[in-house]
Amino acid sequence: MAFSRAYSLAADEWLRRLFEHAAESTGQQTGRAQRAPWKGLALIAVGGYGRGQLAPASDLDVVLVHERRRDSARIAEAIWYPVWDEGVKLDHSLRTPGEVLSVARKDLRVSLGLLDARLIAGDRSISDPLIQTLRERWRDRAGTWLPELARQAEVRHQANGEVAFLLEPNLKEGKGGLRDIGVIRSIMAARPDILTSDDVSAVNRAEEKLVAARVSLQRVTGRSLDRLALQEQDQVAASLGLADADSLMEGVAEAARRVTWVLDDALHRALPATPAPKHLRNRHDKELSKAPATIGTATKPYDDWFADEAGQSGLAGETPDALLCDPGLALALANFSARSGKPIRHSSLERLASHAEAPAIPWPDTLRSLFVALLLVGRPSIGALESLDQVGILSLLVPEWQAVRNKPQRNAYHRFTIDRHLLETAANAAELGYDIERPDLLVIAALFHDMGKGDLWPGSSSDHVQAGAGAIELIARRMGFSEDDISILETLVRHHLLLADTATRRDLDDPATIDLVASAIGDSSTLDMLAALTEADGLATGPTAWGRWKAGLVTDLCRRTRLRLAGLSAISGAREPAAWQRRIMEAGRLAVRLDPDDPSVLAVTAPDQSGLLAAVTGVLALRGLGVHSADVMGENGMALDVFHLAAETGAPVDVVALEEDLRSVLEHRLSLESMLTERIRVYAPARPAAQPDVPSVDVHLDNETSDLATILEVRAPDTIGLLHQITRALSAADLDVTSARITTVADEALDTFYIRHRDGSKLSSSTVRSTESIIRRVASAWSERAAAAAS
């Protein structure tokens, strides 16, 4: 915080000179020069400036307090204008002491800012009593203000997420950020005894790290930023003398976790708790009933060892040291806390951590049941597990956890660090798997499905799925699961991407697709668990990872796979036009229409001709319409191309304009190539910034999986018009596209095409090689052209 302190001192000195000059010059004009010109005036710093926590782009928050001096407005202007002339942002007000107290009584935000008030220059006989009164009134009104403060903090946290677990955290507004340090100090101003000296020291150390990161972010970018974006993290790390961005983000995460830990503790001690939902408590109790009603050699039931005190859960009375060594006691307390919604007292956690010993291998049944029961509570388990993690108990139970703790995921697709993503997925799975036959296996698989991303596992950098399958086998065996259960867990982890990838990148009308999934999963019970895990994982990943389109495809894939596992036909027959599509085909002319029941489905029909699909995809790109999938059909000389449009499209689709553009392209009156290049030039800079590692082009043709078509997979930088370029190249090679699945992950396109010769046959070996070369060349050239146009 050296920069912040130095900047604040420099600002103090500057404003002090402006204040003194303004008071003296105005006093001479009004006849006040004979006495102290600043008498009855006090310039006070408030908010972040009051705390001495200025960043390069911070406002100077000041209040000029006066005792009804007639010249106060003139003095204020003499201070404000030089500041504005220098281009420094200023948040200012001119008030009497009574007005300051009145505003503070009505406005929580103002009241919070005034808690940090300090005198910059002027009459201390005005500032000191005022500041003292403000703090006394804050303590007097704490019962009214603290619930509202907690509510506003919750709204802010919902909007900005948690600093510790986001890949691009808001260092100021996110949970565990600098704004929350202000909240902690506001609670302490009302309840000075609510935190220990160790907590205060930990928050101060965390503040040093967070302020340093925010200051560096604004210095390296020259902008008023609080969100630490991926593309800025390497520069910020270098400016702070850190090894790399991962080191920076691990430090930020650790600091924010400590702030969150202290904040939650303070709020829960001051406010009532919220218990877990009743339906999850019931299932939790059912799982817990599998464990004996005692811990270790003790004879008391679980709940008799714990008590609620001041809104928190903790150890009750004298607990034998021998019992404190049993990790089951910590898990039992975590269950007690999650079920009641009352967080665990820090003193109890620290006492447990100081005695805890690693569990026996394999785990006793009691310990495993306690762990599973905790996960089955759902979202309240996150706080309880986070508490255990803070004091090292979670890593004692599962040593592999340390490898994913605070570990960022270096892409914009994920929003959370690995450890928080796993906790979120497990909480989602508990909710989604309520009716599943083996919810215990589901939540264990959810909690550990991405453990392969930790750096403990061979091959984790290249294939986290394979590494994760090995990790879950080791963890589950240590936890005492049966060999049959371990096999199911290994299947769930090994195939946790199978349903989403297959649904979005394969043709579900191809029998080979369904056969592949059914063979990998094996039975309907595992399919049910994998479906819930897929959705839980998608919801925890981020807003682009799970939506209506993907959910519908996964549901359809699961339905078809379930039929196949039951020995029934999963394919209803050849793909045919819907009734509304057939009606527009019968007109025998070019037409563009939206599904009457689903505006995300677009149908284009026209007399069958070479290059139609390429023309349509080019026009869609020109109009800024993203595509999830395309299916190509035809009959009686008419072609039908059906597209599922991406939800991000935004504005309603103008089918009239699309039809006119398409007619112009087909009649050679509109050049798509030049228009697309211009669109890239105009719009590409406004798109999300590319990550440091620009995706390369990778092309693969699979002639074995499907009996109906050759499968072409293209992985390339996501650029405007890429789909058009690929379909255009395929048409020029006299190849037909029967269906396509278009997926975008962060800044990378993952596109799959089912292609055939014009006569309906699959590609020959020689054609596979030439097509692969053509598509790689076309995709690479267009990516380079797009990059040049964007720059």
Side-chain angles (χ1 to χ4, degrees), residues 588-607:
R589 59 179 178 80
L590 173 65
V592 180
R593 299 288 187 272
L594 290 172
D595 186 334
D597 299 320
D598 185 353
S600 69
V601 176
L602 179 79
V604 178
T605 184

Side-chain angles (χ1 to χ4, degrees), residues 249-546:
M249 298 311 294
E250 287 172 10
V252 166
E254 192 60 48
R257 289 179 89 152
R258 179 53 60 174
V259 172
T260 298
W261 166 262
V262 174
L263 174 68
D264 287 346
D265 181 51
L267 286 174
H268 283 299
R269 290 174 67 179
L271 300 171
T274 302
K278 183 177 179 180
H279 71 284
L280 292 181
R281 294 202 310 272
N282 291 341
R283 192 175 60 182
H284 160 272
D285 293 347
K286 180 180 178 181
E287 180 65 30
L288 202 58
S289 69
K290 299 177 184 178
T294 57
I295 302 174
T297 60
T299 57
K300 288 185 181 180
Y302 292 120
D303 288 2
D304 288 357
W305 292 105
F306 313 125
D308 295 338
E309 181 182 326
Q312 294 184 302
S313 303
L315 297 172
E318 292 297 322
T319 307
D321 286 350
L323 186 56
L324 290 170
C325 296
D326 187 342
L329 185 65
L331 281 178
L333 178 55
N335 275 277
F336 185 84
S337 168
R339 191 181 188 282
S340 66
K342 297 176 181 179
I344 308 172
R345 282 199 305 273
H346 288 188
S347 58
S348 294
L349 283 166
E350 288 160 0
R351 191 173 174 209
L352 286 166
S354 67
H355 289 79
E357 296 178 356
I361 299 175
W363 287 11
D365 292 346
T366 300
L367 192 65
R368 186 176 63 256
S369 293
L370 286 166
F371 194 83
V372 170
L374 178 57
L375 294 177
L376 288 175
V377 177
R379 191 145 299 277
S381 70
I382 294 178
L385 286 165
E386 171 68 10
S387 295
L388 298 184
D389 192 20
Q390 280 287 336
V391 295
I393 294 176
L394 184 54
S395 293
L396 185 69
L397 291 167
V398 185
E400 296 81 5
W401 189 259
Q402 196 63 33
V404 297
R405 191 176 189 272
N406 292 340
K407 190 175 181 63
Q409 306 193 65
R410 309 302 299 170
N411 63 67
Y413 190 54
H414 284 83
R415 57 180 170 175
F416 291 125
T417 54
I418 298 173
D419 54 344
R420 184 49 180 262
H421 172 73
L422 295 174
L423 292 175
E424 291 281 339
T425 303
N428 292 338
E431 291 279 0
L432 294 168
Y434 187 70
D435 294 326
I436 280 177
E437 181 181 348
R438 293 294 305 273
D440 56 332
L441 298 183
L442 170 62
V443 292
I444 290 292
L447 182 65
F448 298 123
H449 75 278
D450 270 349
M451 289 298 289
K453 291 181 177 179
D455 52 15
L456 289 177
W457 308 101
S460 59
S461 60
S462 59
D463 186 355
H464 84 274
V465 173
Q466 181 69 22
I472 191 64
E473 182 180 358
L474 178 64
I475 294 169
R477 183 163 284 111
R478 183 192 303 126
M479 295 177 74
F481 282 99
S482 69
E483 290 301 318
D484 287 344
D485 286 351
I486 292 172
S487 178
I488 294 171
L489 288 168
E490 192 269 343
T491 297
L492 292 173
V493 171
R494 183 181 301 280
H495 296 302
H496 75 268
L497 299 177
L498 175 67
L499 295 181
D501 283 355
T502 302
T504 56
R505 299 172 62 185
R506 289 293 183 266
D507 188 345
L508 302 190
D509 284 324
D510 186 343
T513 299
I514 311 304
D515 289 344
L516 178 70
V517 174
S519 174
I521 295 174
D523 61 80
S524 59
S525 176
T526 304
L527 175 62
D528 290 340
M529 285 187 281
L530 191 61
L533 175 57
T534 300
E535 183 173 354
D537 187 20
L539 291 171
T541 296
T544 62
W546 192 260

Side-chain angles (χ1 to χ4, degrees), residues 498-499 502-503 506-522 527 553-566 568-572 705-706 754:
L498 175 67
L499 295 181
T502 302
R506 289 293 183 266
D507 188 345
L508 302 190
D509 284 324
D510 186 343
T513 299
I514 311 304
D515 289 344
L516 178 70
V517 174
S519 174
I521 295 174
L527 175 62
L553 289 177
V554 170
T555 298
D556 188 28
L557 173 59
C558 290
R559 178 187 63 82
R560 293 169 184 251
T561 304
R562 196 168 285 108
L563 290 171
R564 178 68 181 82
L565 289 169
L568 302 174
S569 174
I571 308 299
S572 57
T705 299
S706 174
Y754 281 68

Side-chain angles (χ1 to χ4, degrees), residues 266 584 636:
I584 62 173
N636 300 324

